[in-house]
Amino acid sequence: MAQTIIITTPIFLPIVQAYGIDPVHFGVIMILNYGIGLNTPPVGGVQFVACAVGKITVWEAMRSIWPFYGAGLVVLLLVTYIPAISLWLPSVFK
C-alpha cells in the first residue's frame, strides 16, 4: 500500500487542491479506498496472502467478510460525501 500512496499522491494532490478539496479529506478518502482495494479480488493482495496463510479459498474468505466489506463501503461513502466526518478532529487541534 505504501508504494501506491507514494506514487499516486503527488499526481492527484495538485488536482484535488485545484478543485478546492482539503488535503486531509483527500488523504482519508485515499486510505479508505486503498484499504478496501487491498482486500478485493482479483487484485486484492492482502486477501490472497491471508487465504494462503489460513489455507482457505478466496471464495470462503469473501463469503465471511461481506458484512465488513459492506460496512467499509458505507463508511467510504459517508466520509466522501460528508467532509465534516474526516475534518472535525483536525479542526479541534487548530
Side-chain angles (χ1 to χ4, degrees):
M1 183 158 92
Q3 305 89 338
T4 310
I5 295 169
I6 291 170
I7 292 170
T8 59
T9 301
I11 295 169
F12 290 123
L13 189 58
I15 297 168
V16 165
Q17 288 177 328
Y19 281 103
I21 299 171
D22 190 90
V24 173
H25 184 230
F26 169 67
V28 171
I29 292 171
M30 189 171 65
I31 295 300
L32 286 170
N33 273 305
Y34 290 152
I36 292 170
L38 282 172
N39 200 22
T40 306
V43 187
V46 171
Q47 188 174 25
F48 289 122
V49 170
C51 289
V53 170
K55 296 180 177 75
I56 62 172
T57 66
V58 174
W59 174 247
E60 290 173 319
M62 282 305 289
R63 264 195 328 217
S64 63
I65 66 165
W66 273 114
F68 302 103
Y69 185 71
L73 289 175
V74 169
V75 168
L76 176 64
L77 288 172
L78 287 172
V79 168
T80 301
Y81 292 109
I82 306 172
I85 294 173
S86 63
L87 296 176
W88 72 271
L89 186 61
S91 69
V92 170
F93 292 108
K94 283 187 179 180

